Amino acid sequence: MVSFHVLGPLEARAAGRPVRISGRKPRMLLATLLLDANHLVGADHLVDVLWERPPRSAHANLRTYASSLRSELGARIRAEGSCYLIEVAHDELDLLTFERLVARRDPESLAEALALWRGVPLSDLPDHPLWTRRLAPFPRYGSPPRAS
């Protein structure tokens, strides 16, 4: 089983060991797909995240980065038309697990959710405005959300 972590620096783990994802752009691609896990993400959206001024080869580069991720993480990363997606089970991504536990609103689940927190979400990657919608509920300064 592969697990993914975005509640802190981006991390992927297989059999408890880190999976090496080389390069900033493939890591940003993975982060963007994980923030919309199990949903199609348009290539144009991904290009906007990866490049401030996209090169002419942006879509070809995107295909290369997706292929690289696929070689590290398997067929869970797919292309469908001009979109990409990553398939993850709810217990494979800390963000989804965190949200599920918080929604229960009981003290044990909240404590378990807070234990998933490893710092500022995606703190090892440059912040991107297109991630704001998904990450808006989470603090940007390293402290976990407070249980209410």
Side-chain angles (χ1 to χ4, degrees):
M1 177 173 120
V2 178
S3 62
F4 299 95
H5 308 273
V6 298
L7 297 178
L10 177 65
E11 185 177 62
R13 297 182 78 76
R17 296 181 180 193
V19 175
R20 187 165 186 262
I21 308 295
S22 299
R24 188 174 89 167
K25 296 222 187 299
R27 292 176 61 76
M28 290 179 73
L29 172 58
L30 178 58
T32 305
L33 292 175
L34 287 170
L35 292 177
D36 278 314
N38 303 314
H39 295 98
L40 292 170
V41 180
D44 289 338
H45 178 85
L46 295 168
V47 165
D48 287 343
V49 169
L50 298 180
W51 290 278
E52 199 170 300
R53 286 185 229 124
R56 288 185 189 163
S57 61
H59 286 273
N61 293 350
L62 182 60
R63 284 189 297 275
T64 300
Y65 299 146
S67 177
S68 166
L69 289 175
R70 210 174 291 116
S71 71
E72 295 294 330
L73 302 170
R76 66 178 57 239
I77 294 181
R78 295 193 338 247
E80 291 188 18
S82 64
C83 298
Y84 293 83
L85 94 126
I86 185 168
E87 292 179 332
V88 297
H90 287 280
D91 62 344
E92 292 178 322
L93 176 57
D94 62 353
L95 177 62
L96 297 178
T97 302
F98 181 92
E99 291 173 331
R100 181 178 44 82
L101 290 167
V102 167
R104 291 183 185 167
R105 299 178 104 30
D106 66 79
E108 287 178 18
S109 295
L110 290 173
E112 193 177 336
L114 291 175
L116 295 172
W117 192 266
R118 298 177 305 115
V120 175
L122 302 174
S123 60
D124 59 327
L125 295 173
D127 194 21
H128 197 281
L130 293 176
W131 294 347
T132 302
R133 173 185 53 85
R134 186 68 170 102
L135 294 175
F138 300 95
R140 294 296 301 159
Y141 299 104
S143 59
R146 294 181 202 185
S148 22

